[in-house]
Amino acid sequence: MRKILATVATLGLAGLGVLVPTTSVQAASENCNMEWHGSMSGHFYAYDGANCVYILGHTASWDSDWGNSSGPFQGGDTNDARAILHKGTSGLAVQVFNGTGQDWAGGHTCIKKSEKYMSDLDGFTFTSGASVSNGISSHRWVDEDRCGRFLDS
């Protein structure tokens, strides 16, 4: 009888672990999801930390140089983003670059409105091959057909 009770208890605890998993990926998604729901409609956000923590800034417009002293992102914001969030309302994608300037040259990648956010940019690359994590220096809003690469692919 004791073996049966011990077996039932063990199976019950194992089943609970399957029903209620707690992982860092889940926590990251939950934090970015909370940020997305609390963010302003029509804006693009960038975060210094993975999991949408330590906001660098947000804007409904574009910024061709995150490292200068003008525009929505300034100074130390360049090359610091580890997570981004897209709460645009126009249906446009946000195209991020590892270069600066209004010629919009250099490597880029895009986040679609349907993606909402990328909680950790590690492992993603621009079209130039450079890392997106801690590599964003500018951004703009574009039609999806102007994107050579998307973060979901």
Side-chain angles (χ1 to χ4, degrees):
M1 181 70 168
R2 285 186 189 183
K3 286 184 179 180
I4 292 173
L5 288 175
T7 302
V8 169
T10 302
L11 289 173
L13 289 174
L16 183 60
V18 169
L19 292 175
V20 188
T22 56
T23 66
S24 60
V25 171
Q26 188 177 29
S29 295
E30 288 175 10
N31 191 61
C32 285
N33 196 44
M34 288 184 341
E35 284 288 315
W36 190 86
H37 284 289
S39 62
M40 292 190 333
S41 290
H43 282 236
F44 166 71
Y45 288 72
Y47 300 86
D48 187 11
N51 309 326
C52 300
V53 297
Y54 310 120
I55 189 167
L56 291 170
H58 64 93
T59 182
S61 67
W62 55 273
D63 191 336
S64 63
D65 188 347
W66 286 18
N68 64 13
S69 59
S70 64
F73 293 90
Q74 298 184 6
D77 296 339
T78 193
N79 298 325
D80 271 350
R82 288 256 337 262
I84 56 176
L85 183 147
H86 182 325
K87 196 163 182 183
T89 54
S90 66
L92 296 175
V94 177
Q95 190 175 40
V96 294
F97 294 84
N98 66 335
T100 60
Q102 291 185 26
D103 61 347
W104 306 106
H108 72 273
T109 190
C110 293
I111 182 170
K112 299 175 189 174
K113 180 181 185 226
S114 62
E115 289 178 285
K116 296 184 180 178
Y117 53 80
M118 292 302 293
S119 62
D120 193 345
L121 295 170
D122 281 347
F124 292 96
T125 58
F126 292 106
T127 54
S128 64
S131 175
V132 177
S133 183
N134 295 317
I136 300 173
S137 297
S138 58
H139 80 278
R140 67 178 176 175
W141 298 82
V142 296
D143 288 323
E144 287 184 14
D145 62 359
R146 298 197 55 197
C147 295
R149 175 174 292 164
F150 291 96
L151 286 167
D152 68 348
S153 54

